[in-house]
Structure formats: structure tokens, C-alpha cells
Amino acid sequence: PISHLATSSTWTNEGANLQLLDAAGRKVADWSGLSNGSLNTTLPVLRSGVYQLVVTDGAERRITRLVVR
């Protein structure tokens, strides 16, 4: 099972916001004010399914699909 999340990106100094959403669009976890371009954190217990990691950085928004088996 997935228990940790590590990301790397070129986030602005304004700070990025990340949301982990389940297949129904419900927020599972969120992180805000990230400005150093990386995140290494422990995830909540995730059931099998499809999730979306949504990164919002100023006007830019990126979505990554995460499948948990």
C-alpha cells in the first residue's frame, strides 16, 4: 500500500496548494503554502481506487492520477 508521497516541481514562491481527491471528488488530504518545490509526507490510509492529486500554483493547475490497488 502507498503510505508516503514525494513530489518535486518548480513551484513559485507564492506557494502551491495540493489536494488529494477520491473518485467522487471528495477531499482526502490537502497541503498548502508549499514553496520549496517538493513535498515528502505520510498519506492517510487509502482504500483501493483512483485518486487525483491536484496542484494549484498561482494561475497554473496540474492534475495527476493516482491508482491505489
Side-chain angles (χ1 to χ4, degrees):
I2 296 174
S3 61
H4 287 83
L5 175 68
T7 66
S8 179
S9 185
T10 54
W11 301 331
T12 66
N13 291 332
E14 296 175 15
N17 297 311
L18 278 73
Q19 289 186 326
L20 183 62
L21 308 174
D22 67 11
R26 293 180 297 246
K27 188 182 338 178
V28 176
D30 65 346
W31 302 268
S32 62
L34 304 171
S35 61
N36 66 359
S38 66
L39 169 69
N40 190 354
T41 188
T42 301
L43 291 172
V45 175
L46 299 175
R47 293 181 176 209
S48 296
V50 178
Y51 296 84
Q52 290 185 343
L53 182 63
V54 181
V55 180
T56 305
D57 180 13
E60 187 176 351
R61 183 175 187 196
R62 290 166 275 174
I63 300 173
T64 302
R65 191 171 125 181
L66 175 67
V67 178
V68 176
R69 296 177 188 216

